[in-house]
Amino acid sequence: MNLNEKIRKLKEEKDVVILGHYYVDADVQEIADFVGDSYALAKKAAEVDQQNILFAGVSFMGESAKLLNPDKHVYMVDNTAGCAMADMITASEVKRVRAQYPEAAVVCYVNSSAEVKAESDVCVTSSNAVRVVEHMKQKQIYFVPDSHLAHFVAKALPEKEFIYHNGYCPIHQQIDKASLEKAKEKYPDALVLSHPECADDILALSDYIGSTADIIRFSKEDTTKEYIIATETGVFYQLEKENPEKKFYPVTNCQVCPDMKKVSLEKIAGVLENLEKQQEILLDEKIMEQAKRPLEQMLELAK
Ligand code: 13P
Ligand code: SF4
């Protein structure tokens, strides 16, 4: 029995659904029952029938699945796969700024810990941030942790007043303007598709800005034949699979999230084999109760 067959068999036997993000390796995306962006994964996690969820992604994604399914078991393929941006904000910093701006709504990007979510009013993902913030009744918005996504939303909603945190994704931050200009020169007919975690100067040179799922959707609906992609290169698997006749180019050779790449087929098989003995996501009851609200509020407002 090969590794893929073994995973499929264990998954059935142990009542497990595998949810995966577009940034994990192609062979993992292929074996996952559902692949999506952070928003689609959160929605899917709230709908699955299986008793066990195995998350092929990073910790904030698994935690969100647990918050939306407190009665289910949620396991990470690799417990050490985190998100550098999520680590840039703490619950005590959110409390401190909230006390300073009591009128502000606290909006947390889903790339944050359960503790930070517990201190927030609403959660957003890159695909629904504008829509959700637009629906907030407060004029003042304290947005954590991503300053680039916050500026992107602020530009779309000039009627709101933003208080920024200084977080960023180190992977998207490395995508630089000089490299993008060079890529545009090399591929003059290509459109630039970017994730809103990129810096302002990259977004200013982009033809389309959206979440991973939005970028994939755009490439399918658009008639252009070539694209320069400013996000993690895991998306290339779906982009090329959905559009075999089109060409996709990265801006730099450093668009790789090392935490997403910790997920592998071997580790999936290992976790499934010893499911009972694996360390699953376990969160403090009170934090769970509080952190669930902003996520549910997001699912409601993003409808
Ligand atoms: P998406 O919301 O597009 O899935 O992005 C998640 C992420 O971590 C981007 O770096
Ligand atoms: Fe976090 Fe950036 Fe990796 Fe996304 S790409 S999971 S934001 S470190």
Side-chain angles (χ1 to χ4, degrees):
M1 202 188 301
N2 68 27
L3 202 51
N4 283 28
E5 288 163 355
K6 185 172 166 183
I7 291 172
R8 287 201 183 92
K9 184 168 171 281
L10 286 165
K11 218 157 51 87
E12 281 304 309
E13 277 172 20
K14 304 201 176 185
D15 195 29
V16 178
V17 62
I18 302 180
L19 304 183
H21 189 265
Y22 288 127
Y23 289 167
V24 296
D25 283 334
D27 53 358
V28 176
Q29 292 191 43
E30 204 44 53
I31 201 91
D33 295 290
F34 182 81
V35 186
D37 67 356
S38 312
Y39 176 49
L41 288 167
K43 271 205 311 188
K44 194 71 187 175
E47 293 163 5
V48 294
D49 297 326
Q50 288 84 346
Q51 264 317 299
N52 302 294
I53 298 174
L54 179 55
F55 221 101
V58 295
S59 53
F60 75 82
M61 297 176 173
E63 281 187 4
S64 301
K66 178 68 185 174
L67 293 171
L68 293 165
N69 287 288
D71 299 331
K72 295 195 177 179
H73 300 283
V74 180
Y75 303 89
M76 295 304 293
V77 173
D78 185 320
N79 279 328
T80 69
C83 167
M85 184 208 293
D87 294 340
M88 292 181 187
I89 182 74
T90 59
S92 58
E93 176 64 3
V94 173
K95 276 200 230 176
R96 189 188 68 76
V97 178
R98 193 196 265 287
Q100 207 178 330
Y101 298 96
E103 308 278 292
V106 180
V107 177
C108 74
Y109 190 23
V110 71
N111 299 41
S112 55
S113 66
E115 287 77 10
V116 165
K117 289 186 178 75
E119 295 300 330
S120 303
D121 296 309
V122 72
C123 200
V124 296
T125 73
S126 57
S127 73
N128 61 36
V130 173
R131 200 159 60 240
V132 170
V133 174
E134 191 178 17
H135 282 97
M136 300 304 288
K137 60 179 190 305
Q138 295 91 332
K139 184 176 165 70
Q140 259 188 350
I141 304 292
Y142 171 42
F143 193 107
V144 297
D146 189 7
S147 65
H148 296 312
L149 179 63
H151 278 95
F152 171 73
V153 179
K155 206 168 162 196
L157 302 172
E159 69 279 17
K160 301 281 187 191
E161 227 171 69
F162 274 69
I163 302 146
Y164 301 96
H165 181 69
N166 57 5
Y168 60 90
C169 164
I171 287 89
H172 287 83
Q173 181 92 351
Q174 280 183 66
I175 303 175
D176 64 296
K177 189 178 173 193
S179 301
L180 180 54
E181 283 171 343
K182 228 190 251 171
K184 278 168 74 79
E185 250 174 62
K186 192 166 173 196
Y187 307 112
D189 297 329
L191 292 187
V192 179
L193 315 185
S194 302
H195 196 280
E197 286 176 16
C198 292
D200 280 4
D201 54 357
I202 299 297
L203 300 186
L205 291 175
S206 301
D207 297 290
Y208 178 78
I209 301 163
S211 76
T212 48
D214 292 334
I215 288 175
I216 293 165
R217 197 173 309 117
F218 180 91
S219 74
K220 266 180 82 178
E221 290 167 3
D222 184 62
T223 54
T224 312
K225 293 277 176 259
E226 289 180 290
Y227 303 89
I228 298 166
I229 304 295
T231 191
E232 216 273 357
T233 48
V235 294
F236 280 64
Y237 173 61
Q238 295 291 337
L239 286 170
E240 286 163 356
K241 189 173 160 187
E242 305 261 3
N243 305 285
E245 75 295 358
K246 298 189 179 187
K247 291 252 181 302
F248 299 92
Y249 314 106
V251 183
T252 68
N253 58 11
C254 53
Q255 294 165 220
V256 179
C257 176
D259 283 273
M260 289 284 186
K261 301 310 183 230
K262 288 180 178 173
V263 180
S264 69
L265 288 183
E266 288 75 16
K267 289 183 192 169
I268 291 179
V271 176
L272 287 172
E273 256 176 341
N274 288 298
L275 206 54
E276 316 68 32
K277 296 201 186 107
Q278 294 294 335
Q279 200 191 314
E280 62 172 295
I281 294 189
L282 298 171
L283 299 166
D284 177 86
E285 290 261 325
K286 193 158 166 249
I287 297 283
M288 289 237 292
E289 196 56 40
Q290 289 172 356
K292 192 182 174 173
R293 274 184 296 108
L295 269 176
E296 286 177 340
Q297 172 85 338
M298 170 188 85
L299 293 177
E300 187 54 38
L301 292 179
K303 262 183 198 164

